Amino acid sequence: MQEKTLKSRLFTYYLTLILNSIALSIPHAILTVLLLSKGIKLYQIAAIQLFYNIAMTIFEFPSGVISDIISRRWTFLFANITLIIAYFIILIYDSYILMSIAWFLYGLSTALSTGTIESDMINYVKINKMDYYTKLFKNSNLIALVGMIIGASLGQFLYNRIDEKIYIVSILLLSLIILIIIFNYPVKEKIKDKRRESQSLKTKIVSIIKEGKRQIQSNIYLKYSIITLSLLQIFFQLHFHYWQALSLEYHISKKLFFIIYILFQFISIGIYNLPVDKFNEKRIFPIGIITIGSILWIRGTDDYKFLIGYMIIVAIVSFMKYYMTYILNKKVEIETISTITSFDSTMQRLCSILTLSILNILLRKYSLISIFYINSILVVLIFSVIIFRIKTLENEK
């Protein structure tokens, strides 16, 4: 009976996961092109994305509390309804102000959906003492990746035929997810036990926060990891929101954007399979040379040579993020891992907001390509300095 219930829950969870990944990624491969077609300027794109990050920063912390109060099921449903409203605004209107509102709602939806039915699924496995967590984690990532690839491919195919009406497909998929959750997702039981659990947790909140603060102040590894992961947003915000515009600057056809998007996903898979524990400071110099060499190479190239250099830069900076995340998780204490992780996430959001604000100003005066060159070199230098500092501390022990 327990095995049958697990299979039923997994089917619902995996189905909603892949549908959600497809719905979210349909516009991803052509998002910048779509905004430009609405008359949005490059510097305005940074401002629009800023509203997304502001919403995430405001609601990321409270979203867990909301889930506890009204259940993860209803929080997930509200998140999808909010996203549907955002997509309708993007579909119907071209206004810069309304696009900003839509992206704020998008950020709110993302914050609310974090840790909802996925957390319920994980808790169900743990409560019933099923040795399934590792397989669940692996399958979830794989299914999400497949959904992103399908969505990006579908979005590129449909955009060439129906333009921004691709959002109708996403809205239909999100509506289907809502129906699946309403009719096929179990309602949370034992509410009283849940409330008692929440009350017992509340008594520990202050002490956990204090302990997390003490760890960050006393543990140099945590401090440098959080600082580096936050500063890496200087590159990633430019990459996430402007790789399409950069490609257009180098005369890459927008018809190839979905292929480029898929390549980014495979780069991530490759990075996460590298033996990060064997990385040492001796490899910083060649990494820096390769990165700066790639930047100088693409500066004087055009077309597809730019893509090769750009992919190398993205791979290297992605590894930087992977390595610093590894250091953070390795050094943090078990009792305060959630507090430290939440604090790290908030710091990254704040750095993202600052980066997008600065980009909004710089893009009014300087070319996107020039900003990209300086941005990439700056990030490599920051990473190199911090890694040397961490390795120096390790050698002193």
Side-chain angles (χ1 to χ4, degrees), residues 135-190:
K135 189 174 182 180
L136 175 68
F137 183 77
K138 181 179 179 181
N139 288 347
S140 297
N141 283 281
L142 178 61
I143 289 171
L145 176 62
V146 171
M148 290 173 69
I149 292 173
I150 293 173
S153 304
L154 183 62
Q156 174 65 39
F157 175 79
L158 292 176
Y159 183 74
N160 293 326
R161 291 158 178 78
I162 58 175
D163 295 327
E164 69 265 20
K165 292 184 181 66
I166 58 172
Y167 278 97
I168 295 176
V169 180
S170 291
I171 290 170
L172 291 173
L173 289 173
L174 291 170
S175 301
L176 178 59
I177 290 170
I178 290 173
L179 292 175
I180 291 171
I181 295 299
I182 289 174
F183 294 107
N184 202 41
Y185 189 82
V187 178
K188 190 71 176 178
E189 298 177 351
K190 299 182 180 178

Short mmCIF file of all heavy atoms in Angstrom, two decimals, residues 135-190:
data_model
loop_
_atom_site.label_atom_id
_atom_site.label_comp_id
_atom_site.label_asym_id
_atom_site.label_seq_id
_atom_site.Cartn_x
_atom_site.Cartn_y
_atom_site.Cartn_z
N LYS A 135 17.63 9.09 -5.17
CA LYS A 135 17.01 8.85 -6.48
C LYS A 135 16.02 9.97 -6.81
O LYS A 135 15.94 10.42 -7.96
CB LYS A 135 16.30 7.50 -6.48
CG LYS A 135 15.81 7.07 -7.86
CD LYS A 135 15.24 5.66 -7.81
CE LYS A 135 14.79 5.21 -9.20
NZ LYS A 135 14.22 3.84 -9.17
N LEU A 136 15.27 10.42 -5.82
CA LEU A 136 14.32 11.53 -6.03
C LEU A 136 15.05 12.79 -6.46
O LEU A 136 14.63 13.47 -7.41
CB LEU A 136 13.55 11.79 -4.74
CG LEU A 136 12.59 12.99 -4.73
CD1 LEU A 136 11.42 12.74 -5.67
CD2 LEU A 136 12.10 13.27 -3.32
N PHE A 137 16.14 13.12 -5.78
CA PHE A 137 16.93 14.31 -6.10
C PHE A 137 17.49 14.24 -7.52
O PHE A 137 17.39 15.20 -8.30
CB PHE A 137 18.06 14.46 -5.10
CG PHE A 137 18.90 15.69 -5.28
CD1 PHE A 137 18.43 16.93 -4.86
CD2 PHE A 137 20.15 15.62 -5.89
CE1 PHE A 137 19.20 18.07 -5.03
CE2 PHE A 137 20.92 16.75 -6.06
CZ PHE A 137 20.44 17.97 -5.63
N LYS A 138 18.04 13.08 -7.89
CA LYS A 138 18.62 12.89 -9.21
C LYS A 138 17.55 12.97 -10.30
O LYS A 138 17.72 13.66 -11.31
CB LYS A 138 19.34 11.53 -9.27
CG LYS A 138 20.01 11.25 -10.61
CD LYS A 138 20.71 9.90 -10.57
CE LYS A 138 21.36 9.59 -11.91
NZ LYS A 138 22.04 8.27 -11.90
N ASN A 139 16.45 12.27 -10.10
CA ASN A 139 15.37 12.26 -11.09
C ASN A 139 14.75 13.65 -11.27
O ASN A 139 14.40 14.05 -12.38
CB ASN A 139 14.29 11.26 -10.70
CG ASN A 139 14.74 9.82 -10.86
OD1 ASN A 139 15.75 9.55 -11.50
ND2 ASN A 139 13.99 8.90 -10.28
N SER A 140 14.60 14.37 -10.16
CA SER A 140 14.01 15.71 -10.23
C SER A 140 14.84 16.63 -11.10
O SER A 140 14.31 17.37 -11.94
CB SER A 140 13.87 16.30 -8.82
OG SER A 140 13.00 15.52 -8.03
N ASN A 141 16.16 16.61 -10.90
CA ASN A 141 17.05 17.45 -11.70
C ASN A 141 17.03 17.06 -13.17
O ASN A 141 17.03 17.92 -14.06
CB ASN A 141 18.48 17.39 -11.15
CG ASN A 141 18.64 18.22 -9.91
OD1 ASN A 141 18.78 19.43 -9.96
ND2 ASN A 141 18.63 17.57 -8.76
N LEU A 142 17.01 15.75 -13.43
CA LEU A 142 17.01 15.26 -14.81
C LEU A 142 15.71 15.66 -15.51
O LEU A 142 15.72 16.15 -16.66
CB LEU A 142 17.17 13.75 -14.83
CG LEU A 142 17.15 13.08 -16.21
CD1 LEU A 142 18.27 13.61 -17.08
CD2 LEU A 142 17.23 11.56 -16.09
N ILE A 143 14.57 15.46 -14.83
CA ILE A 143 13.27 15.79 -15.42
C ILE A 143 13.15 17.29 -15.67
O ILE A 143 12.64 17.73 -16.71
CB ILE A 143 12.13 15.30 -14.51
CG1 ILE A 143 12.07 13.77 -14.55
CG2 ILE A 143 10.78 15.88 -14.92
CD1 ILE A 143 11.14 13.15 -13.54
N ALA A 144 13.65 18.10 -14.72
CA ALA A 144 13.61 19.56 -14.90
C ALA A 144 14.45 19.97 -16.10
O ALA A 144 14.05 20.85 -16.89
CB ALA A 144 14.11 20.25 -13.63
N LEU A 145 15.62 19.34 -16.27
CA LEU A 145 16.48 19.65 -17.41
C LEU A 145 15.83 19.27 -18.72
O LEU A 145 15.84 20.05 -19.69
CB LEU A 145 17.82 18.91 -17.25
CG LEU A 145 18.81 19.05 -18.42
CD1 LEU A 145 19.22 20.50 -18.60
CD2 LEU A 145 20.02 18.16 -18.22
N VAL A 146 15.22 18.08 -18.77
CA VAL A 146 14.50 17.65 -19.98
C VAL A 146 13.38 18.63 -20.30
O VAL A 146 13.18 19.01 -21.46
CB VAL A 146 13.95 16.22 -19.80
CG1 VAL A 146 13.02 15.86 -20.96
CG2 VAL A 146 15.09 15.21 -19.70
N GLY A 147 12.65 19.06 -19.28
CA GLY A 147 11.58 20.02 -19.47
C GLY A 147 12.08 21.34 -20.02
O GLY A 147 11.45 21.94 -20.91
N MET A 148 13.22 21.80 -19.52
CA MET A 148 13.81 23.06 -20.00
C MET A 148 14.22 22.95 -21.47
O MET A 148 14.03 23.88 -22.25
CB MET A 148 15.00 23.43 -19.14
CG MET A 148 14.63 23.86 -17.73
SD MET A 148 16.05 24.09 -16.65
CE MET A 148 16.79 25.55 -17.38
N ILE A 149 14.80 21.81 -21.84
CA ILE A 149 15.22 21.61 -23.23
C ILE A 149 14.01 21.55 -24.16
O ILE A 149 13.99 22.18 -25.22
CB ILE A 149 16.06 20.32 -23.35
CG1 ILE A 149 17.39 20.50 -22.62
CG2 ILE A 149 16.30 19.98 -24.82
CD1 ILE A 149 18.23 19.24 -22.54
N ILE A 150 12.97 20.82 -23.73
CA ILE A 150 11.74 20.74 -24.53
C ILE A 150 11.10 22.12 -24.66
O ILE A 150 10.70 22.54 -25.75
CB ILE A 150 10.74 19.75 -23.90
CG1 ILE A 150 11.28 18.32 -23.96
CG2 ILE A 150 9.38 19.82 -24.60
CD1 ILE A 150 10.44 17.31 -23.20
N GLY A 151 11.01 22.83 -23.54
CA GLY A 151 10.38 24.15 -23.54
C GLY A 151 11.11 25.15 -24.42
O GLY A 151 10.48 25.89 -25.19
N ALA A 152 12.44 25.19 -24.31
CA ALA A 152 13.23 26.12 -25.11
C ALA A 152 13.11 25.80 -26.60
O ALA A 152 12.98 26.70 -27.44
CB ALA A 152 14.69 26.06 -24.68
N SER A 153 13.15 24.52 -26.94
CA SER A 153 13.01 24.10 -28.34
C SER A 153 11.62 24.45 -28.88
O SER A 153 11.49 24.99 -29.99
CB SER A 153 13.25 22.59 -28.47
OG SER A 153 14.51 22.23 -27.96
N LEU A 154 10.59 24.17 -28.07
CA LEU A 154 9.22 24.47 -28.47
C LEU A 154 9.02 25.98 -28.62
O LEU A 154 8.37 26.44 -29.56
CB LEU A 154 8.26 23.90 -27.43
CG LEU A 154 6.76 24.04 -27.71
CD1 LEU A 154 6.38 23.31 -29.00
CD2 LEU A 154 5.94 23.52 -26.54
N GLY A 155 9.60 26.75 -27.68
CA GLY A 155 9.46 28.19 -27.72
C GLY A 155 10.09 28.79 -28.96
O GLY A 155 9.50 29.68 -29.61
N GLN A 156 11.29 28.30 -29.31
CA GLN A 156 11.96 28.79 -30.52
C GLN A 156 11.16 28.45 -31.77
O GLN A 156 10.98 29.28 -32.66
CB GLN A 156 13.36 28.17 -30.61
CG GLN A 156 14.12 28.49 -31.89
CD GLN A 156 14.45 29.96 -32.01
OE1 GLN A 156 14.79 30.59 -31.02
NE2 GLN A 156 14.35 30.52 -33.21
N PHE A 157 10.65 27.22 -31.84
CA PHE A 157 9.87 26.76 -33.00
C PHE A 157 8.60 27.59 -33.16
O PHE A 157 8.26 28.05 -34.27
CB PHE A 157 9.53 25.28 -32.85
CG PHE A 157 8.63 24.74 -33.91
CD1 PHE A 157 9.14 24.41 -35.17
CD2 PHE A 157 7.27 24.56 -33.68
CE1 PHE A 157 8.30 23.92 -36.17
CE2 PHE A 157 6.44 24.07 -34.66
CZ PHE A 157 6.96 23.75 -35.92
N LEU A 158 7.89 27.81 -32.05
CA LEU A 158 6.61 28.51 -32.11
C LEU A 158 6.79 30.02 -32.29
O LEU A 158 5.94 30.67 -32.93
CB LEU A 158 5.80 28.24 -30.84
CG LEU A 158 5.30 26.80 -30.65
CD1 LEU A 158 4.60 26.66 -29.30
CD2 LEU A 158 4.35 26.42 -31.77
N TYR A 159 7.86 30.58 -31.75
CA TYR A 159 8.05 32.03 -31.84
C TYR A 159 8.20 32.49 -33.29
O TYR A 159 7.74 33.57 -33.66
CB TYR A 159 9.28 32.46 -31.03
CG TYR A 159 9.49 33.97 -31.04
CD1 TYR A 159 8.66 34.80 -30.28
CD2 TYR A 159 10.50 34.55 -31.81
CE1 TYR A 159 8.83 36.17 -30.29
CE2 TYR A 159 10.69 35.92 -31.81
CZ TYR A 159 9.85 36.73 -31.05
OH TYR A 159 10.03 38.10 -31.07
N ASN A 160 8.82 31.66 -34.10
CA ASN A 160 8.98 32.00 -35.52
C ASN A 160 7.66 31.96 -36.28
O ASN A 160 7.58 32.41 -37.43
CB ASN A 160 9.97 31.03 -36.19
CG ASN A 160 11.38 31.19 -35.65
OD1 ASN A 160 11.80 32.29 -35.31
ND2 ASN A 160 12.12 30.09 -35.55
N ARG A 161 6.62 31.45 -35.63
CA ARG A 161 5.31 31.31 -36.28
C ARG A 161 4.20 32.15 -35.63
O ARG A 161 3.35 32.69 -36.32
CB ARG A 161 4.89 29.83 -36.30
CG ARG A 161 5.76 29.00 -37.24
CD ARG A 161 5.75 27.52 -36.89
NE ARG A 161 6.56 26.76 -37.84
CZ ARG A 161 7.89 26.71 -37.80
NH1 ARG A 161 8.56 27.38 -36.87
NH2 ARG A 161 8.56 26.00 -38.69
N ILE A 162 4.26 32.27 -34.29
CA ILE A 162 3.15 32.98 -33.62
C ILE A 162 3.63 34.11 -32.70
O ILE A 162 2.84 34.67 -31.95
CB ILE A 162 2.28 32.00 -32.82
CG1 ILE A 162 3.11 31.25 -31.77
CG2 ILE A 162 1.58 31.01 -33.74
CD1 ILE A 162 2.27 30.35 -30.86
N ASP A 163 4.92 34.43 -32.75
CA ASP A 163 5.48 35.53 -31.95
C ASP A 163 5.17 35.37 -30.46
O ASP A 163 5.29 34.29 -29.91
CB ASP A 163 4.98 36.88 -32.47
CG ASP A 163 5.49 37.16 -33.88
OD1 ASP A 163 6.60 36.72 -34.19
OD2 ASP A 163 4.76 37.78 -34.67
N GLU A 164 4.73 36.48 -29.80
CA GLU A 164 4.53 36.44 -28.35
C GLU A 164 3.36 35.57 -27.91
O GLU A 164 3.16 35.34 -26.71
CB GLU A 164 4.34 37.86 -27.78
CG GLU A 164 3.03 38.53 -28.17
CD GLU A 164 3.20 39.41 -29.40
OE1 GLU A 164 4.19 39.22 -30.15
OE2 GLU A 164 2.36 40.30 -29.61
N LYS A 165 2.60 35.06 -28.87
CA LYS A 165 1.49 34.16 -28.52
C LYS A 165 1.98 32.84 -27.93
O LYS A 165 1.18 32.01 -27.49
CB LYS A 165 0.61 33.90 -29.74
CG LYS A 165 -0.17 35.12 -30.22
CD LYS A 165 -1.10 34.77 -31.37
CE LYS A 165 -1.86 35.99 -31.87
NZ LYS A 165 -0.98 37.00 -32.48
N ILE A 166 3.30 32.65 -27.92
CA ILE A 166 3.85 31.46 -27.27
C ILE A 166 3.45 31.43 -25.79
O ILE A 166 3.40 30.36 -25.18
CB ILE A 166 5.39 31.39 -27.38
CG1 ILE A 166 6.04 32.63 -26.78
CG2 ILE A 166 5.82 31.19 -28.84
CD1 ILE A 166 7.55 32.55 -26.69
N TYR A 167 3.17 32.60 -25.22
CA TYR A 167 2.77 32.66 -23.82
C TYR A 167 1.42 31.98 -23.59
O TYR A 167 1.11 31.57 -22.47
CB TYR A 167 2.73 34.10 -23.33
CG TYR A 167 4.10 34.62 -22.92
CD1 TYR A 167 4.87 35.38 -23.79
CD2 TYR A 167 4.62 34.32 -21.67
CE1 TYR A 167 6.12 35.85 -23.42
CE2 TYR A 167 5.88 34.78 -21.29
CZ TYR A 167 6.62 35.53 -22.16
OH TYR A 167 7.86 35.98 -21.79
N ILE A 168 0.61 31.87 -24.64
CA ILE A 168 -0.66 31.16 -24.52
C ILE A 168 -0.41 29.69 -24.19
O ILE A 168 -1.12 29.09 -23.37
CB ILE A 168 -1.49 31.28 -25.82
CG1 ILE A 168 -1.89 32.74 -26.05
CG2 ILE A 168 -2.73 30.39 -25.76
CD1 ILE A 168 -2.62 32.98 -27.36
N VAL A 169 0.62 29.12 -24.82
CA VAL A 169 0.97 27.72 -24.56
C VAL A 169 1.39 27.56 -23.10
O VAL A 169 0.96 26.62 -22.41
CB VAL A 169 2.11 27.26 -25.49
CG1 VAL A 169 2.47 25.80 -25.21
CG2 VAL A 169 1.71 27.43 -26.95
N SER A 170 2.21 28.48 -22.61
CA SER A 170 2.64 28.43 -21.21
C SER A 170 1.46 28.56 -20.26
O SER A 170 1.37 27.86 -19.24
CB SER A 170 3.66 29.54 -20.93
OG SER A 170 4.88 29.30 -21.59
N ILE A 171 0.53 29.47 -20.58
CA ILE A 171 -0.66 29.67 -19.74
C ILE A 171 -1.51 28.40 -19.69
O ILE A 171 -2.02 28.00 -18.63
CB ILE A 171 -1.48 30.87 -20.26
CG1 ILE A 171 -0.73 32.18 -20.00
CG2 ILE A 171 -2.86 30.91 -19.61
CD1 ILE A 171 -1.32 33.38 -20.69
N LEU A 172 -1.67 27.73 -20.83
CA LEU A 172 -2.44 26.49 -20.88
C LEU A 172 -1.77 25.39 -20.04
O LEU A 172 -2.45 24.64 -19.33
CB LEU A 172 -2.60 26.02 -22.33
CG LEU A 172 -3.51 26.88 -23.22
CD1 LEU A 172 -3.45 26.40 -24.66
CD2 LEU A 172 -4.95 26.85 -22.70
N LEU A 173 -0.45 25.31 -20.11
CA LEU A 173 0.28 24.31 -19.32
C LEU A 173 0.15 24.60 -17.83
O LEU A 173 -0.04 23.67 -17.02
CB LEU A 173 1.75 24.29 -19.74
CG LEU A 173 2.06 23.70 -21.11
CD1 LEU A 173 3.53 23.89 -21.45
CD2 LEU A 173 1.71 22.21 -21.16
N LEU A 174 0.26 25.86 -17.44
CA LEU A 174 0.11 26.23 -16.03
C LEU A 174 -1.30 25.95 -15.53
O LEU A 174 -1.49 25.52 -14.38
CB LEU A 174 0.46 27.72 -15.84
CG LEU A 174 1.93 28.09 -16.04
CD1 LEU A 174 2.09 29.61 -16.07
CD2 LEU A 174 2.81 27.49 -14.96
N SER A 175 -2.29 26.17 -16.39
CA SER A 175 -3.68 25.87 -16.03
C SER A 175 -3.87 24.37 -15.83
O SER A 175 -4.59 23.93 -14.91
CB SER A 175 -4.64 26.37 -17.12
OG SER A 175 -4.51 27.77 -17.30
N LEU A 176 -3.21 23.57 -16.68
CA LEU A 176 -3.28 22.12 -16.55
C LEU A 176 -2.65 21.67 -15.23
O LEU A 176 -3.17 20.78 -14.55
CB LEU A 176 -2.56 21.46 -17.73
CG LEU A 176 -2.49 19.93 -17.73
CD1 LEU A 176 -3.90 19.32 -17.70
CD2 LEU A 176 -1.72 19.42 -18.95
N ILE A 177 -1.54 22.30 -14.85
CA ILE A 177 -0.88 21.99 -13.58
C ILE A 177 -1.82 22.27 -12.40
O ILE A 177 -1.93 21.46 -11.46
CB ILE A 177 0.42 22.82 -13.42
CG1 ILE A 177 1.48 22.33 -14.42
CG2 ILE A 177 0.96 22.71 -12.00
CD1 ILE A 177 2.69 23.23 -14.50
N ILE A 178 -2.53 23.39 -12.46
CA ILE A 178 -3.47 23.75 -11.40
C ILE A 178 -4.55 22.67 -11.25
O ILE A 178 -4.89 22.24 -10.14
CB ILE A 178 -4.11 25.12 -11.68
CG1 ILE A 178 -3.06 26.23 -11.51
CG2 ILE A 178 -5.31 25.38 -10.76
CD1 ILE A 178 -3.53 27.60 -11.93
N LEU A 179 -5.08 22.20 -12.38
CA LEU A 179 -6.11 21.15 -12.35
C LEU A 179 -5.56 19.85 -11.78
O LEU A 179 -6.23 19.16 -11.00
CB LEU A 179 -6.66 20.92 -13.76
CG LEU A 179 -7.47 22.08 -14.36
CD1 LEU A 179 -7.85 21.76 -15.81
CD2 LEU A 179 -8.72 22.34 -13.53
N ILE A 180 -4.33 19.51 -12.15
CA ILE A 180 -3.71 18.28 -11.64
C ILE A 180 -3.56 18.35 -10.12
O ILE A 180 -3.85 17.38 -9.40
CB ILE A 180 -2.34 18.05 -12.31
CG1 ILE A 180 -2.52 17.69 -13.79
CG2 ILE A 180 -1.57 16.93 -11.60
CD1 ILE A 180 -1.22 17.66 -14.57
N ILE A 181 -3.09 19.49 -9.63
CA ILE A 181 -2.89 19.66 -8.19
C ILE A 181 -4.23 19.63 -7.44
O ILE A 181 -4.35 19.01 -6.37
CB ILE A 181 -2.14 20.97 -7.89
CG1 ILE A 181 -0.72 20.91 -8.45
CG2 ILE A 181 -2.10 21.25 -6.39
CD1 ILE A 181 0.14 19.81 -7.87
N ILE A 182 -5.24 20.29 -8.00
CA ILE A 182 -6.55 20.34 -7.33
C ILE A 182 -7.18 18.95 -7.21
O ILE A 182 -7.70 18.57 -6.16
CB ILE A 182 -7.51 21.29 -8.08
CG1 ILE A 182 -7.06 22.74 -7.90
CG2 ILE A 182 -8.95 21.12 -7.59
CD1 ILE A 182 -7.86 23.75 -8.71
N PHE A 183 -7.10 18.17 -8.29
CA PHE A 183 -7.82 16.90 -8.32
C PHE A 183 -6.96 15.67 -8.00
O PHE A 183 -7.50 14.61 -7.69
CB PHE A 183 -8.46 16.69 -9.71
CG PHE A 183 -9.55 17.68 -10.02
CD1 PHE A 183 -9.35 18.69 -10.93
CD2 PHE A 183 -10.77 17.59 -9.37
CE1 PHE A 183 -10.36 19.60 -11.22
CE2 PHE A 183 -11.79 18.50 -9.65
CZ PHE A 183 -11.58 19.51 -10.57
N ASN A 184 -5.63 15.82 -8.03
CA ASN A 184 -4.81 14.63 -7.87
C ASN A 184 -3.67 14.79 -6.86
O ASN A 184 -2.80 13.94 -6.77
CB ASN A 184 -4.22 14.21 -9.22
CG ASN A 184 -3.83 12.75 -9.26
OD1 ASN A 184 -4.54 11.89 -8.75
ND2 ASN A 184 -2.68 12.46 -9.86
N TYR A 185 -3.68 15.90 -6.10
CA TYR A 185 -2.64 16.08 -5.09
C TYR A 185 -3.27 15.98 -3.71
O TYR A 185 -4.25 16.67 -3.43
CB TYR A 185 -1.96 17.45 -5.26
CG TYR A 185 -0.73 17.62 -4.40
CD1 TYR A 185 0.49 17.10 -4.79
CD2 TYR A 185 -0.81 18.29 -3.19
CE1 TYR A 185 1.62 17.25 -4.00
CE2 TYR A 185 0.31 18.44 -2.38
CZ TYR A 185 1.52 17.92 -2.80
OH TYR A 185 2.62 18.06 -2.00
N PRO A 186 -2.74 15.12 -2.84
CA PRO A 186 -3.38 14.89 -1.54
C PRO A 186 -3.38 16.12 -0.65
O PRO A 186 -2.40 16.85 -0.58
CB PRO A 186 -2.51 13.77 -0.92
CG PRO A 186 -1.20 13.89 -1.62
CD PRO A 186 -1.50 14.34 -3.01
N VAL A 187 -4.53 16.35 0.02
CA VAL A 187 -4.63 17.45 0.97
C VAL A 187 -3.85 17.09 2.23
O VAL A 187 -3.90 15.97 2.70
CB VAL A 187 -6.11 17.73 1.32
CG1 VAL A 187 -6.21 18.85 2.35
CG2 VAL A 187 -6.89 18.06 0.07
N LYS A 188 -3.14 18.07 2.75
CA LYS A 188 -2.31 17.83 3.94
C LYS A 188 -3.17 17.45 5.14
O LYS A 188 -4.16 18.11 5.45
CB LYS A 188 -1.51 19.10 4.28
CG LYS A 188 -0.44 18.89 5.34
CD LYS A 188 0.71 18.06 4.80
CE LYS A 188 1.83 17.91 5.81
NZ LYS A 188 2.91 17.07 5.33
N GLU A 189 -2.79 16.38 5.83
CA GLU A 189 -3.52 15.94 7.01
C GLU A 189 -2.74 16.31 8.28
O GLU A 189 -1.63 16.81 8.23
CB GLU A 189 -3.74 14.43 6.95
CG GLU A 189 -4.58 14.00 5.74
CD GLU A 189 -4.72 12.50 5.67
OE1 GLU A 189 -4.04 11.81 6.45
OE2 GLU A 189 -5.50 12.01 4.85
N LYS A 190 -3.40 16.04 9.41
CA LYS A 190 -2.76 16.25 10.71
C LYS A 190 -2.30 17.69 10.86
O LYS A 190 -1.13 17.97 11.18
CB LYS A 190 -1.58 15.30 10.92
CG LYS A 190 -2.00 13.83 10.90
CD LYS A 190 -0.81 12.93 11.15
CE LYS A 190 -1.23 11.47 11.13
NZ LYS A 190 -0.08 10.56 11.33
#
